[in-house]
Amino acid sequence: MLRVDPDRLRADFDALAAIGGTAAGGVNRPTFGDAHLAARAWFLERAAAAGLEAHVDAAGNHSAVLPAAAAGAPTLLLGSHLDSVLDGGRFDGGLGVVAALEALRTVQDARLELPVALEAIDFTDEEGTLVGLLGSWAVTGALSPEVLRAPRGGRDALLAGLARVGLAEERLADARREPGSLAGYLELHIEQGPVLERKGVEIGIVTGIVGSRSFRIRFAGAAAHAGTTPMDVRRDAGLGAAAFVVGVRELVVRAYPGAVATVGNIRLEPGGFNVVPGLAHLALEFRSPDAAQLDALEAALVALAHGLADAHGLEVEIEPVGRWEPTSLDPAVRAAIERAAGALGLSTLELPSGAGHDAQALAAVTPSGMIFVPSRGGVSHRPDEYTAWEDCVNGANVLLGAALELGSSECPFQQ
Ligand code: HGY
Ligand code: MN
Ligand code: MN
C-alpha cells in the first residue's frame, strides 16, 4: 500500500504555514496580497524541486503536473486553495494543496505509470476576497460576466487585483478545461465543523456542499447632530441595520431549519460619536443545502430589509454579489474514498459540507469528491483552527489511495 512521506509533507505544511503566518498561529493570505503571492511562488518552487511541471493558467490557478505516460491522457485534478480569509487558519486550503503535491511526488517516486496525468492545483480566490471560486469557476466555464460585474469584493478590488498579478479579465475564461480532458477531481480539506471529532471518526466522505448567496445591503437615512436631534425625528441608518441583524437571526432560527445566515460586516457612515449615522453598509450571507429553501429565505430576507426600512424611515438598496449552488458529490468518487480509507483501516462517515469549496465548481463538469479530516472543536476561519497531524497524514494517504484508484483507468467512471 503506497503511502505519503509524512516528514516531507510536514516540512511542506510548516513552510507554507509560515508564509503569511500570524503571531496567533494562523495565516493571513487574502487573494493576490503579498503573502498569497509568496505562497504561490513557494508552491511552484516545490513543484520544480520535485521535477514536476509547473503551470499557471489564465485565471492564475497554479499547478504542479505529473504527466501520464501517454500523450493526450486525461488529467485527475487534486486540489484546494492557498488563499485564506482574513486572519484565518493554516489548515483551510493549505493542507489540501500540500497533500496533493505530496501525492504526486509519492507516485513519481514509486515510478508508477498511470493512464492519467495527476495535477496538484491551487485555485485562485476560493475564499471570495474578490469573487469566490474565481479560479475553479474559470476552469469549469462558470465565470459569467454577471459574476465579474458585481463581485463580492467589489469591482474595483477585482480589477486592481487582476492588474496587480498581470491577469486580464477578458482572458480569465481561457482557463476553461474541456470536461473530457478531466478524469475527475479530489480535494482533501479540514471539516471546519465539529461532527467528525464528536463522533470520533477519522475520515469524512463528503456527500454534498451547501449553496450560498451573498448580498450587499445599504440602509440610507439622514445624518444628523447627535446632540440636538430629538429621538423621534431621527432617520438612523444604524438603527435599521441593527434591527436587520437581529431580525435575520430570528427569522432563520424560527422558520428556516438547516439554513444559516450571517451579517459579517457593518459599516456606518459618517462613523463619528456625535453624528447620527446616515448610511449603513452590511455584508449578508446565507446558506442552505436546499435550493428551494435558499429561494424562500432570500425572499424573506429581502422583505425583512424593506419592512425595516419603512419602519425606520429609511431607503434600502439590496445588491446580489455572489451565488453558489448546492452541489452533490459523485457516488463513484465517494465509494473510491471509502475503499481507500478502508484499506488503511480508518473509520469513515458520510456527511455534508456547511462550508463552500472548489469541489462545488468542479462537480459541474467532472466527477468530484472531498475527503474531510477532523477540526479540533469544529473551529475554522480563526487562527486557532487545528487538525491533529496524524489526521492530516491519514487524509493525505486517503487522497493518495483514492487518486490511485480513480487514476488507474483512463475512464474511471465508465465501469
Ligand atoms: O466560506 C466558505 O465556506 C469557504 O471557506 N470558502
Ligand atoms: Mn475557508
Ligand atoms: Mn477552504
Side-chain angles (χ1 to χ4, degrees):
M1 177 92 193
L2 207 53
R3 280 182 169 71
V4 301
D5 176 335
D7 298 332
R8 187 169 59 183
L9 176 63
R10 182 72 196 240
D12 272 358
F13 180 82
D14 289 345
L16 174 61
I19 303 174
T22 60
V27 294
N28 209 19
R29 292 204 294 254
T31 302
F32 297 154
D34 290 344
H36 179 228
L37 301 183
R40 304 192 107 179
W42 171 86
F43 173 60
L44 293 189
E45 284 161 19
R46 297 302 292 145
L52 297 167
E53 291 176 12
H55 180 64
V56 179
D57 70 15
N61 297 311
H62 282 50
S63 296
V65 180
L66 180 62
T75 297
L76 180 61
L77 291 174
L78 312 179
S80 200
H81 59 92
L82 292 177
D83 68 306
S84 80
V85 295
L86 292 175
D87 211 13
R90 65 189 188 279
F91 293 84
D92 179 356
L95 175 63
V97 173
V98 296
L101 179 62
E102 175 56 26
L104 267 62
R105 285 186 301 224
T106 304
V107 171
Q108 183 184 51
D109 293 349
R111 302 190 187 292
L112 294 183
E113 296 220 340
L114 301 179
V116 298
L118 294 181
E119 181 172 343
I121 186 165
D122 152 39
F123 288 110
T124 298
D125 191 43
E126 187 277 342
E127 291 290 4
T129 301
L130 299 176
V131 174
L133 303 192
L134 172 56
S136 46
W137 266 354
V139 165
T140 60
L143 200 58
S144 68
E146 292 73 37
V147 162
L148 296 171
R149 207 176 356 264
R152 198 157 88 160
R155 178 130 179 96
D156 294 346
L158 173 60
L159 296 179
L162 293 175
R164 185 160 201 260
V165 296
L167 292 177
E169 179 183 7
E170 62 279 4
R171 294 283 320 282
L172 294 173
D174 296 352
R176 181 181 174 278
R177 306 275 185 101
E178 278 303 322
S181 71
L182 298 175
Y185 177 69
L186 281 169
E187 180 167 0
L188 169 62
H189 205 286
I190 53 172
E191 179 201 337
Q192 301 179 291
V195 174
L196 293 177
E197 183 184 57
R198 278 185 190 157
K199 292 183 181 283
V201 172
E202 293 160 310
I203 295 292
I205 302 172
V206 183
T207 54
I209 301 172
V210 289
S212 171
R213 296 180 189 175
S214 300
F215 286 77
R216 288 199 174 282
I217 297 180
R218 192 177 82 123
F219 288 103
H225 193 294
T228 57
T229 310
M231 295 305 279
D232 62 347
V233 299
R234 294 178 177 207
R235 293 175 57 221
D236 183 341
L239 187 59
F244 181 74
V245 172
V246 173
V248 164
R249 176 183 168 77
E250 191 279 329
L251 176 73
V252 171
V253 169
R254 173 173 49 81
Y256 293 86
V260 292
T262 310
V263 176
N265 193 322
I266 297 181
R267 183 167 53 84
L268 301 182
E269 290 187 54
F273 282 91
N274 55 358
V275 185
V276 176
L279 284 177
H281 306 268
L282 294 84
L284 168 69
E285 186 203 83
F286 52 97
R287 305 186 185 199
S288 168
D290 178 83
Q293 188 181 49
L294 281 170
D295 289 340
L297 180 50
E298 176 177 332
L301 289 168
V302 169
L304 175 66
H306 283 292
L308 288 169
D310 294 346
H312 293 278
L314 306 173
E315 300 301 318
V316 65
E317 288 175 10
I318 303 169
E319 180 188 21
V321 292
R323 181 183 176 119
W324 298 270
E325 300 306 332
T327 306
S328 299
L329 295 180
D330 186 274
V333 180
R334 286 158 49 184
I337 295 168
E338 175 82 52
R339 284 189 289 272
L344 291 162
L346 298 172
S347 55
T348 61
L349 175 73
E350 292 219 316
L351 76 168
S353 174
H357 298 286
D358 290 305
Q360 206 158 0
L362 274 293
V365 300
T366 193
S368 300
M370 288 193 77
I371 301 153
F372 273 175
V373 287
S375 290
R376 184 181 61 190
V379 165
S380 183
H381 283 187
R382 249 175 43 189
D384 57 335
E385 171 185 282
Y386 179 80
T387 293
W389 184 249
E390 181 189 2
D391 289 328
C392 294
V393 176
N394 285 342
N397 280 320
V398 172
L399 177 70
L400 174 63
L404 288 175
E405 177 177 334
L406 296 176
S408 59
S409 72
E410 267 198 59
C411 307
F413 303 98
Q414 281 95 42
Q415 282 156 357

